[in-house]
Short mmCIF file of all heavy atoms in Angstrom, two decimals:
data_model
loop_
_atom_site.label_atom_id
_atom_site.label_comp_id
_atom_site.label_asym_id
_atom_site.label_seq_id
_atom_site.Cartn_x
_atom_site.Cartn_y
_atom_site.Cartn_z
N ARG A 88 31.61 2.77 -80.15
CA ARG A 88 31.96 3.18 -78.83
C ARG A 88 31.70 2.14 -77.79
O ARG A 88 32.48 1.86 -76.89
CB ARG A 88 31.30 4.48 -78.50
CG ARG A 88 31.52 5.03 -77.09
CD ARG A 88 32.79 5.77 -76.97
NE ARG A 88 32.90 6.38 -75.68
CZ ARG A 88 33.90 6.21 -74.88
NH1 ARG A 88 34.94 5.55 -75.28
NH2 ARG A 88 33.94 6.79 -73.69
N LEU A 89 30.51 1.46 -77.90
CA LEU A 89 30.15 0.44 -77.01
C LEU A 89 31.12 -0.76 -77.03
O LEU A 89 31.52 -1.27 -76.00
CB LEU A 89 28.71 -0.05 -77.27
CG LEU A 89 28.17 -1.08 -76.28
CD1 LEU A 89 28.17 -0.58 -74.87
CD2 LEU A 89 26.76 -1.46 -76.67
N ALA A 90 31.50 -1.16 -78.21
CA ALA A 90 32.47 -2.28 -78.36
C ALA A 90 33.76 -1.93 -77.70
O ALA A 90 34.42 -2.78 -77.09
CB ALA A 90 32.61 -2.61 -79.82
N GLU A 91 34.16 -0.66 -77.86
CA GLU A 91 35.40 -0.21 -77.25
C GLU A 91 35.34 -0.31 -75.71
O GLU A 91 36.27 -0.77 -75.06
CB GLU A 91 35.69 1.23 -77.64
CG GLU A 91 36.94 1.85 -77.09
CD GLU A 91 37.08 3.33 -77.42
OE1 GLU A 91 36.68 3.73 -78.59
OE2 GLU A 91 37.53 4.08 -76.57
N LEU A 92 34.24 0.12 -75.14
CA LEU A 92 34.05 -0.03 -73.70
C LEU A 92 34.06 -1.39 -73.24
O LEU A 92 34.60 -1.81 -72.20
CB LEU A 92 32.80 0.76 -73.26
CG LEU A 92 32.87 2.24 -73.34
CD1 LEU A 92 31.46 2.84 -73.06
CD2 LEU A 92 33.85 2.84 -72.40
N GLU A 93 33.38 -2.31 -73.95
CA GLU A 93 33.26 -3.74 -73.57
C GLU A 93 34.61 -4.42 -73.67
O GLU A 93 34.93 -5.31 -72.93
CB GLU A 93 32.26 -4.44 -74.45
CG GLU A 93 30.84 -4.09 -74.15
CD GLU A 93 29.86 -4.74 -75.04
OE1 GLU A 93 30.27 -5.22 -76.16
OE2 GLU A 93 28.68 -4.87 -74.65
N ALA A 94 35.51 -3.92 -74.56
CA ALA A 94 36.79 -4.54 -74.73
C ALA A 94 37.82 -4.14 -73.62
O ALA A 94 38.84 -4.80 -73.44
CB ALA A 94 37.34 -4.19 -76.11
N ARG A 95 37.47 -3.07 -72.93
CA ARG A 95 38.45 -2.59 -71.90
C ARG A 95 38.49 -3.56 -70.70
O ARG A 95 37.44 -4.11 -70.31
CB ARG A 95 38.05 -1.22 -71.42
CG ARG A 95 38.20 -0.15 -72.49
CD ARG A 95 37.67 1.17 -72.08
NE ARG A 95 38.37 1.73 -70.96
CZ ARG A 95 38.07 2.88 -70.34
NH1 ARG A 95 37.04 3.58 -70.81
NH2 ARG A 95 38.78 3.29 -69.28
N PRO A 96 39.64 -3.73 -70.10
CA PRO A 96 39.70 -4.60 -68.93
C PRO A 96 38.94 -3.97 -67.70
O PRO A 96 38.88 -2.74 -67.62
CB PRO A 96 41.19 -4.71 -68.65
CG PRO A 96 41.84 -3.57 -69.35
CD PRO A 96 40.95 -3.18 -70.49
N ALA A 97 38.47 -4.73 -66.86
CA ALA A 97 37.77 -4.27 -65.64
C ALA A 97 38.78 -3.47 -64.76
O ALA A 97 39.91 -3.85 -64.61
CB ALA A 97 37.17 -5.41 -64.83
N THR A 98 38.30 -2.35 -64.20
CA THR A 98 39.19 -1.57 -63.35
C THR A 98 38.98 -1.86 -61.86
O THR A 98 39.66 -1.29 -61.04
CB THR A 98 38.97 -0.07 -63.60
OG1 THR A 98 37.60 0.23 -63.40
CG2 THR A 98 39.37 0.31 -64.97
N VAL A 99 38.01 -2.72 -61.58
CA VAL A 99 37.73 -3.05 -60.20
C VAL A 99 38.42 -4.39 -59.88
O VAL A 99 38.23 -5.37 -60.57
CB VAL A 99 36.18 -3.21 -59.99
CG1 VAL A 99 35.96 -3.63 -58.53
CG2 VAL A 99 35.52 -1.93 -60.31
N ALA A 100 39.27 -4.41 -58.91
CA ALA A 100 40.06 -5.61 -58.52
C ALA A 100 39.18 -6.47 -57.60
O ALA A 100 38.45 -5.97 -56.72
CB ALA A 100 41.28 -5.24 -57.85
N GLU A 101 39.31 -7.77 -57.75
CA GLU A 101 38.60 -8.73 -56.94
C GLU A 101 39.29 -8.70 -55.55
O GLU A 101 40.52 -8.60 -55.51
CB GLU A 101 38.65 -10.13 -57.49
CG GLU A 101 37.81 -10.32 -58.71
CD GLU A 101 36.32 -10.25 -58.41
OE1 GLU A 101 35.88 -10.67 -57.32
OE2 GLU A 101 35.63 -9.77 -59.32
N PRO A 102 38.55 -8.79 -54.48
CA PRO A 102 39.18 -8.76 -53.11
C PRO A 102 40.06 -10.05 -53.00
O PRO A 102 39.71 -11.10 -53.55
CB PRO A 102 38.04 -8.75 -52.16
CG PRO A 102 36.86 -9.27 -52.94
CD PRO A 102 37.09 -8.88 -54.38
N LEU A 103 41.12 -9.97 -52.25
CA LEU A 103 41.96 -11.10 -52.02
C LEU A 103 41.21 -12.12 -51.17
O LEU A 103 41.41 -13.36 -51.31
CB LEU A 103 43.24 -10.71 -51.33
CG LEU A 103 44.18 -9.81 -52.14
CD1 LEU A 103 45.41 -9.37 -51.32
CD2 LEU A 103 44.60 -10.46 -53.46
N ARG A 104 40.42 -11.63 -50.21
CA ARG A 104 39.68 -12.52 -49.34
C ARG A 104 38.33 -11.91 -49.09
O ARG A 104 38.21 -10.83 -48.58
CB ARG A 104 40.44 -12.73 -48.01
CG ARG A 104 39.91 -13.83 -47.16
CD ARG A 104 40.84 -14.07 -45.97
NE ARG A 104 40.01 -14.02 -44.81
CZ ARG A 104 40.29 -13.58 -43.67
NH1 ARG A 104 41.48 -13.08 -43.51
NH2 ARG A 104 39.47 -13.54 -42.66
N ALA A 105 37.30 -12.60 -49.50
CA ALA A 105 35.92 -12.07 -49.32
C ALA A 105 35.53 -12.15 -47.89
O ALA A 105 35.89 -13.02 -47.12
CB ALA A 105 34.95 -12.92 -50.15
N ALA A 106 34.77 -11.12 -47.44
CA ALA A 106 34.28 -11.12 -46.12
C ALA A 106 33.18 -12.14 -45.92
O ALA A 106 32.35 -12.36 -46.88
CB ALA A 106 33.68 -9.72 -45.78
N PRO A 107 33.13 -12.77 -44.79
CA PRO A 107 32.07 -13.73 -44.59
C PRO A 107 30.69 -13.12 -44.49
O PRO A 107 30.56 -11.97 -43.99
CB PRO A 107 32.45 -14.45 -43.28
CG PRO A 107 33.28 -13.44 -42.54
CD PRO A 107 33.98 -12.62 -43.60
N LEU A 108 29.67 -13.86 -44.91
CA LEU A 108 28.32 -13.37 -44.82
C LEU A 108 27.90 -13.46 -43.37
O LEU A 108 28.20 -14.37 -42.65
CB LEU A 108 27.38 -14.18 -45.70
CG LEU A 108 27.54 -14.07 -47.19
CD1 LEU A 108 26.68 -15.15 -47.89
CD2 LEU A 108 27.24 -12.69 -47.70
N PRO A 109 27.05 -12.50 -42.92
CA PRO A 109 26.47 -12.58 -41.58
C PRO A 109 25.50 -13.72 -41.52
O PRO A 109 24.90 -14.12 -42.50
CB PRO A 109 25.84 -11.23 -41.36
CG PRO A 109 25.53 -10.78 -42.75
CD PRO A 109 26.59 -11.33 -43.65
N PRO A 110 25.28 -14.29 -40.31
CA PRO A 110 24.32 -15.36 -40.19
C PRO A 110 22.90 -14.79 -40.51
O PRO A 110 22.60 -13.61 -40.30
CB PRO A 110 24.37 -15.77 -38.75
CG PRO A 110 25.05 -14.64 -38.04
CD PRO A 110 25.92 -13.94 -39.05
N PRO A 111 22.06 -15.64 -41.07
CA PRO A 111 20.66 -15.15 -41.38
C PRO A 111 19.97 -14.79 -40.10
O PRO A 111 20.16 -15.34 -39.05
CB PRO A 111 20.01 -16.33 -42.04
CG PRO A 111 20.91 -17.49 -41.90
CD PRO A 111 22.20 -17.02 -41.40
N SER A 112 19.22 -13.72 -40.19
CA SER A 112 18.40 -13.32 -39.01
C SER A 112 16.97 -13.02 -39.48
O SER A 112 16.72 -12.91 -40.65
CB SER A 112 18.99 -12.01 -38.47
OG SER A 112 18.98 -10.94 -39.34
N GLY A 113 16.12 -12.96 -38.49
CA GLY A 113 14.70 -12.73 -38.82
C GLY A 113 14.32 -11.32 -38.46
O GLY A 113 15.16 -10.42 -38.27
N PHE A 114 13.02 -11.13 -38.35
CA PHE A 114 12.46 -9.80 -37.98
C PHE A 114 11.27 -10.00 -37.07
O PHE A 114 10.37 -10.86 -37.36
CB PHE A 114 12.05 -9.05 -39.24
CG PHE A 114 11.34 -7.78 -38.99
CD1 PHE A 114 12.02 -6.66 -38.62
CD2 PHE A 114 9.92 -7.72 -38.97
CE1 PHE A 114 11.39 -5.47 -38.35
CE2 PHE A 114 9.30 -6.52 -38.70
CZ PHE A 114 10.00 -5.42 -38.36
N THR A 115 11.25 -9.33 -35.97
CA THR A 115 10.11 -9.39 -35.06
C THR A 115 9.61 -8.00 -34.72
O THR A 115 10.42 -7.09 -34.49
CB THR A 115 10.56 -10.08 -33.74
OG1 THR A 115 11.01 -11.41 -34.09
CG2 THR A 115 9.40 -10.24 -32.79
N ALA A 116 8.35 -7.86 -34.74
CA ALA A 116 7.69 -6.55 -34.32
C ALA A 116 6.51 -6.98 -33.42
O ALA A 116 5.66 -7.83 -33.77
CB ALA A 116 7.18 -5.81 -35.51
N ASP A 117 6.46 -6.32 -32.25
CA ASP A 117 5.40 -6.62 -31.34
C ASP A 117 4.61 -5.25 -31.10
O ASP A 117 5.17 -4.32 -30.60
CB ASP A 117 5.94 -7.09 -30.01
CG ASP A 117 6.51 -8.49 -30.08
OD1 ASP A 117 5.92 -9.31 -30.79
OD2 ASP A 117 7.60 -8.72 -29.53
N GLY A 118 3.38 -5.27 -31.53
CA GLY A 118 2.55 -4.11 -31.29
C GLY A 118 2.92 -2.92 -32.17
O GLY A 118 2.86 -1.79 -31.72
N LEU A 119 3.39 -3.17 -33.36
CA LEU A 119 3.81 -2.11 -34.29
C LEU A 119 2.71 -1.11 -34.50
O LEU A 119 1.57 -1.46 -34.73
CB LEU A 119 4.21 -2.73 -35.68
CG LEU A 119 4.61 -1.74 -36.76
CD1 LEU A 119 5.90 -1.08 -36.45
CD2 LEU A 119 4.59 -2.43 -38.07
N ALA A 120 3.03 0.17 -34.39
CA ALA A 120 2.10 1.25 -34.68
C ALA A 120 2.82 2.28 -35.51
O ALA A 120 4.01 2.53 -35.24
CB ALA A 120 1.58 1.88 -33.33
N VAL A 121 2.09 2.86 -36.42
CA VAL A 121 2.67 3.88 -37.30
C VAL A 121 1.71 5.07 -37.30
O VAL A 121 0.53 4.88 -37.59
CB VAL A 121 2.91 3.40 -38.74
CG1 VAL A 121 3.44 4.52 -39.64
CG2 VAL A 121 3.83 2.23 -38.72
N ARG A 122 2.25 6.23 -37.08
CA ARG A 122 1.41 7.50 -37.22
C ARG A 122 2.25 8.43 -37.99
O ARG A 122 3.37 8.75 -37.77
CB ARG A 122 1.19 8.10 -35.85
CG ARG A 122 0.36 9.36 -35.96
CD ARG A 122 0.00 9.95 -34.62
NE ARG A 122 -0.80 9.03 -33.86
CZ ARG A 122 -1.25 9.25 -32.67
NH1 ARG A 122 -1.02 10.38 -31.99
NH2 ARG A 122 -2.02 8.34 -32.05
N TRP A 123 1.64 8.82 -39.21
CA TRP A 123 2.34 9.70 -40.08
C TRP A 123 2.43 11.11 -39.50
O TRP A 123 1.56 11.51 -38.71
CB TRP A 123 1.64 9.73 -41.44
CG TRP A 123 1.64 8.41 -42.13
CD1 TRP A 123 0.65 7.55 -42.36
CD2 TRP A 123 2.81 7.76 -42.65
NE1 TRP A 123 1.05 6.43 -43.00
CE2 TRP A 123 2.39 6.53 -43.20
CE3 TRP A 123 4.17 8.09 -42.78
CZ2 TRP A 123 3.29 5.62 -43.80
CZ3 TRP A 123 5.05 7.17 -43.39
CH2 TRP A 123 4.61 5.98 -43.89
N PRO A 124 3.43 11.88 -39.90
CA PRO A 124 3.59 13.25 -39.35
C PRO A 124 2.32 14.08 -39.64
O PRO A 124 1.80 14.09 -40.74
CB PRO A 124 4.79 13.81 -40.14
CG PRO A 124 5.59 12.61 -40.57
CD PRO A 124 4.59 11.52 -40.77
N GLY A 125 1.84 14.78 -38.63
CA GLY A 125 0.70 15.63 -38.72
C GLY A 125 -0.65 14.89 -38.54
O GLY A 125 -1.68 15.54 -38.45
N ALA A 126 -0.62 13.58 -38.46
CA ALA A 126 -1.84 12.79 -38.25
C ALA A 126 -2.23 12.78 -36.74
O ALA A 126 -1.42 12.92 -35.88
CB ALA A 126 -1.68 11.35 -38.79
N VAL A 127 -3.51 12.63 -36.51
CA VAL A 127 -4.05 12.56 -35.18
C VAL A 127 -4.20 11.13 -34.68
O VAL A 127 -4.03 10.88 -33.53
CB VAL A 127 -5.44 13.27 -35.12
CG1 VAL A 127 -6.02 13.23 -33.75
CG2 VAL A 127 -5.32 14.74 -35.56
N THR A 128 -4.42 10.21 -35.64
CA THR A 128 -4.52 8.82 -35.24
C THR A 128 -3.50 7.95 -35.96
O THR A 128 -2.93 8.40 -36.91
CB THR A 128 -5.95 8.28 -35.62
OG1 THR A 128 -6.14 8.45 -37.02
CG2 THR A 128 -7.06 9.06 -34.88
N ASP A 129 -3.34 6.75 -35.45
CA ASP A 129 -2.39 5.82 -36.07
C ASP A 129 -2.91 5.32 -37.39
O ASP A 129 -4.10 5.05 -37.56
CB ASP A 129 -2.18 4.63 -35.15
CG ASP A 129 -1.50 5.04 -33.84
OD1 ASP A 129 -0.79 6.00 -33.80
OD2 ASP A 129 -1.62 4.21 -32.86
N ALA A 130 -1.99 5.20 -38.36
CA ALA A 130 -2.40 4.61 -39.66
C ALA A 130 -2.51 3.09 -39.50
O ALA A 130 -3.32 2.46 -40.13
CB ALA A 130 -1.38 4.96 -40.73
N VAL A 131 -1.62 2.51 -38.68
CA VAL A 131 -1.62 1.12 -38.38
C VAL A 131 -1.34 0.95 -36.89
O VAL A 131 -0.51 1.70 -36.34
CB VAL A 131 -0.47 0.40 -39.17
CG1 VAL A 131 -0.29 -1.03 -38.77
CG2 VAL A 131 -0.78 0.47 -40.71
N ARG A 132 -2.01 0.03 -36.28
CA ARG A 132 -1.83 -0.16 -34.82
C ARG A 132 -2.00 -1.68 -34.47
O ARG A 132 -2.83 -2.32 -35.01
CB ARG A 132 -2.87 0.62 -34.06
CG ARG A 132 -2.75 0.56 -32.59
CD ARG A 132 -3.74 1.42 -31.85
NE ARG A 132 -4.35 2.42 -32.66
CZ ARG A 132 -5.72 2.55 -32.76
NH1 ARG A 132 -6.47 1.73 -32.14
NH2 ARG A 132 -6.21 3.47 -33.56
N GLY A 133 -1.16 -2.13 -33.57
CA GLY A 133 -1.26 -3.47 -33.05
C GLY A 133 -0.83 -4.59 -33.96
O GLY A 133 -1.36 -5.73 -33.87
N VAL A 134 0.17 -4.35 -34.82
CA VAL A 134 0.63 -5.41 -35.75
C VAL A 134 1.75 -6.17 -35.04
O VAL A 134 2.68 -5.61 -34.59
CB VAL A 134 1.12 -4.79 -37.06
CG1 VAL A 134 1.73 -5.85 -37.98
CG2 VAL A 134 -0.05 -4.05 -37.77
N ASP A 135 1.58 -7.49 -35.03
CA ASP A 135 2.65 -8.37 -34.54
C ASP A 135 3.17 -9.22 -35.66
O ASP A 135 2.42 -9.80 -36.41
CB ASP A 135 2.09 -9.35 -33.48
CG ASP A 135 1.59 -8.53 -32.20
OD1 ASP A 135 2.13 -7.52 -31.89
OD2 ASP A 135 0.67 -9.07 -31.56
N LEU A 136 4.48 -9.22 -35.87
CA LEU A 136 5.11 -10.07 -36.85
C LEU A 136 6.29 -10.85 -36.26
O LEU A 136 7.03 -10.28 -35.41
CB LEU A 136 5.69 -9.15 -38.00
CG LEU A 136 4.70 -8.40 -38.85
CD1 LEU A 136 5.42 -7.37 -39.75
CD2 LEU A 136 3.84 -9.29 -39.67
N ASP A 137 6.46 -12.04 -36.68
CA ASP A 137 7.63 -12.85 -36.33
C ASP A 137 8.02 -13.64 -37.56
O ASP A 137 7.52 -14.68 -37.81
CB ASP A 137 7.24 -13.80 -35.20
CG ASP A 137 8.47 -14.47 -34.58
OD1 ASP A 137 9.60 -14.08 -34.91
OD2 ASP A 137 8.32 -15.47 -33.87
N LEU A 138 9.00 -13.05 -38.31
CA LEU A 138 9.46 -13.59 -39.54
C LEU A 138 10.83 -14.25 -39.35
O LEU A 138 11.78 -13.63 -38.94
CB LEU A 138 9.53 -12.52 -40.64
CG LEU A 138 8.23 -11.75 -40.88
CD1 LEU A 138 8.53 -10.59 -41.81
CD2 LEU A 138 7.15 -12.58 -41.33
N ARG A 139 10.90 -15.55 -39.66
CA ARG A 139 12.15 -16.27 -39.52
C ARG A 139 12.82 -16.33 -40.86
O ARG A 139 12.17 -16.19 -41.92
CB ARG A 139 11.82 -17.70 -39.04
CG ARG A 139 11.22 -17.76 -37.70
CD ARG A 139 12.22 -17.34 -36.66
NE ARG A 139 11.55 -17.17 -35.36
CZ ARG A 139 11.98 -16.38 -34.42
NH1 ARG A 139 13.01 -15.59 -34.65
NH2 ARG A 139 11.38 -16.31 -33.25
N PRO A 140 14.15 -16.49 -40.89
CA PRO A 140 14.89 -16.60 -42.12
C PRO A 140 14.30 -17.69 -43.08
O PRO A 140 13.90 -18.74 -42.68
CB PRO A 140 16.29 -17.01 -41.73
CG PRO A 140 16.40 -16.56 -40.34
CD PRO A 140 15.03 -16.68 -39.74
N GLY A 141 14.12 -17.27 -44.34
CA GLY A 141 13.63 -18.21 -45.36
C GLY A 141 12.19 -18.22 -45.50
O GLY A 141 11.60 -18.85 -46.34
N THR A 142 11.38 -17.53 -44.61
CA THR A 142 9.97 -17.50 -44.72
C THR A 142 9.50 -16.35 -45.66
O THR A 142 10.27 -15.41 -45.96
CB THR A 142 9.25 -17.26 -43.35
OG1 THR A 142 9.74 -16.04 -42.80
CG2 THR A 142 9.62 -18.43 -42.38
N ARG A 143 8.31 -16.49 -46.09
CA ARG A 143 7.74 -15.49 -47.03
C ARG A 143 6.46 -14.96 -46.36
O ARG A 143 5.71 -15.70 -45.67
CB ARG A 143 7.37 -16.04 -48.35
CG ARG A 143 8.58 -16.51 -49.13
CD ARG A 143 8.30 -17.01 -50.43
NE ARG A 143 9.47 -17.53 -51.09
CZ ARG A 143 9.47 -18.06 -52.31
NH1 ARG A 143 8.36 -18.14 -53.00
NH2 ARG A 143 10.60 -18.46 -52.81
N LEU A 144 6.17 -13.71 -46.66
CA LEU A 144 5.00 -13.08 -46.08
C LEU A 144 4.20 -12.36 -47.18
O LEU A 144 4.82 -11.73 -48.04
CB LEU A 144 5.37 -12.07 -45.05
CG LEU A 144 4.28 -11.12 -44.51
CD1 LEU A 144 3.31 -11.89 -43.61
CD2 LEU A 144 4.87 -9.93 -43.75
N ALA A 145 2.92 -12.55 -47.23
CA ALA A 145 2.05 -11.87 -48.19
C ALA A 145 1.13 -10.97 -47.42
O ALA A 145 0.40 -11.38 -46.56
CB ALA A 145 1.26 -12.85 -49.01
N LEU A 146 1.22 -9.64 -47.64
CA LEU A 146 0.32 -8.67 -47.05
C LEU A 146 -0.85 -8.42 -48.04
O LEU A 146 -0.57 -7.92 -49.10
CB LEU A 146 1.01 -7.37 -46.69
CG LEU A 146 2.07 -7.44 -45.65
CD1 LEU A 146 2.76 -6.09 -45.50
CD2 LEU A 146 1.49 -7.85 -44.34
N THR A 147 -2.02 -8.76 -47.65
CA THR A 147 -3.15 -8.65 -48.54
C THR A 147 -4.21 -7.84 -47.86
O THR A 147 -4.30 -7.81 -46.63
CB THR A 147 -3.76 -10.03 -48.95
OG1 THR A 147 -4.23 -10.68 -47.84
CG2 THR A 147 -2.68 -10.87 -49.63
N GLY A 148 -5.06 -7.20 -48.65
CA GLY A 148 -6.14 -6.45 -48.06
C GLY A 148 -6.61 -5.40 -49.06
O GLY A 148 -5.94 -5.15 -50.08
N PRO A 149 -7.72 -4.71 -48.76
CA PRO A 149 -8.25 -3.74 -49.66
C PRO A 149 -7.34 -2.48 -49.68
O PRO A 149 -6.52 -2.29 -48.80
CB PRO A 149 -9.64 -3.43 -49.07
CG PRO A 149 -9.57 -3.82 -47.67
CD PRO A 149 -8.56 -4.94 -47.58
N SER A 150 -7.57 -1.70 -50.69
CA SER A 150 -6.83 -0.47 -50.82
C SER A 150 -7.04 0.42 -49.58
O SER A 150 -8.16 0.55 -49.05
CB SER A 150 -7.37 0.29 -52.07
OG SER A 150 -6.70 1.57 -52.21
N GLY A 151 -5.92 0.95 -49.05
CA GLY A 151 -6.06 1.82 -47.88
C GLY A 151 -6.02 1.11 -46.57
O GLY A 151 -6.19 1.74 -45.56
N SER A 152 -5.74 -0.25 -46.60
CA SER A 152 -5.77 -0.96 -45.36
C SER A 152 -4.48 -0.94 -44.56
O SER A 152 -4.38 -1.47 -43.43
CB SER A 152 -6.19 -2.40 -45.57
OG SER A 152 -5.23 -3.03 -46.43
N GLY A 153 -3.36 -0.35 -45.14
CA GLY A 153 -2.12 -0.20 -44.42
C GLY A 153 -1.03 -1.09 -44.86
O GLY A 153 0.02 -1.20 -44.20
N LYS A 154 -1.16 -1.85 -45.94
CA LYS A 154 -0.12 -2.74 -46.38
C LYS A 154 1.21 -2.01 -46.64
O LYS A 154 2.23 -2.41 -46.10
CB LYS A 154 -0.51 -3.48 -47.68
CG LYS A 154 -1.84 -4.28 -47.48
CD LYS A 154 -2.21 -4.90 -48.80
CE LYS A 154 -2.59 -3.89 -49.92
NZ LYS A 154 -3.76 -3.13 -49.71
N SER A 155 1.16 -0.92 -47.39
CA SER A 155 2.42 -0.18 -47.70
C SER A 155 2.96 0.48 -46.41
O SER A 155 4.17 0.59 -46.27
CB SER A 155 2.14 0.88 -48.77
OG SER A 155 1.78 0.26 -49.99
N THR A 156 2.13 0.83 -45.52
CA THR A 156 2.51 1.49 -44.30
C THR A 156 3.34 0.51 -43.43
O THR A 156 4.35 0.85 -42.89
CB THR A 156 1.32 2.01 -43.50
OG1 THR A 156 0.66 3.01 -44.28
CG2 THR A 156 1.73 2.65 -42.20
N VAL A 157 2.85 -0.78 -43.32
CA VAL A 157 3.57 -1.80 -42.61
C VAL A 157 4.98 -2.00 -43.19
O VAL A 157 5.95 -2.10 -42.50
CB VAL A 157 2.78 -3.10 -42.57
CG1 VAL A 157 3.63 -4.23 -42.02
CG2 VAL A 157 1.51 -2.88 -41.73
N VAL A 158 5.03 -2.06 -44.53
CA VAL A 158 6.33 -2.30 -45.21
C VAL A 158 7.25 -1.08 -45.00
O VAL A 158 8.44 -1.25 -44.78
CB VAL A 158 6.08 -2.59 -46.73
CG1 VAL A 158 7.48 -2.58 -47.45
CG2 VAL A 158 5.37 -3.87 -46.90
N ALA A 159 6.71 0.12 -45.04
CA ALA A 159 7.52 1.32 -44.85
C ALA A 159 8.03 1.44 -43.41
O ALA A 159 9.06 2.13 -43.18
CB ALA A 159 6.70 2.56 -45.23
N ALA A 160 7.36 0.90 -42.43
CA ALA A 160 7.71 1.01 -41.06
C ALA A 160 8.96 0.19 -40.83
O ALA A 160 9.80 0.47 -40.05
CB ALA A 160 6.60 0.49 -40.14
#
């Protein structure tokens, strides 16, 4: 059955003209704060980020320091 499926021609047609890619953009956050629903205090507060295209960022810290919260924001 797998060989039969692999032998079938593709049913998706290639576009006649591909859409152009958008220009690269960065990401900026000034004073980012996150408070989860039902919480009394912010989980993360006062985070400033300025990420330019092509840069890499490593969020490091102990467990519970807010790394995943910053990414989820």
Side-chain angles (χ1 to χ4, degrees):
R88 176 84 174 125
L89 183 58
E91 179 185 324
L92 290 174
E93 288 177 339
R95 292 173 63 183
T98 57
V99 177
E101 291 291 326
L103 297 177
R104 195 171 125 215
L108 293 173
S112 62
F114 174 79
T115 301
D117 293 317
L119 175 71
V121 177
R122 181 177 296 181
W123 296 110
V127 178
T128 59
D129 295 336
V131 172
R132 182 178 343 126
V134 175
D135 297 330
L136 295 171
D137 189 13
L138 306 174
R139 298 290 172 208
T142 60
R143 295 180 184 182
L144 170 70
L146 294 176
T147 64
S150 178
S152 63
K154 301 176 298 291
S155 295
T156 299
V157 168
V158 173

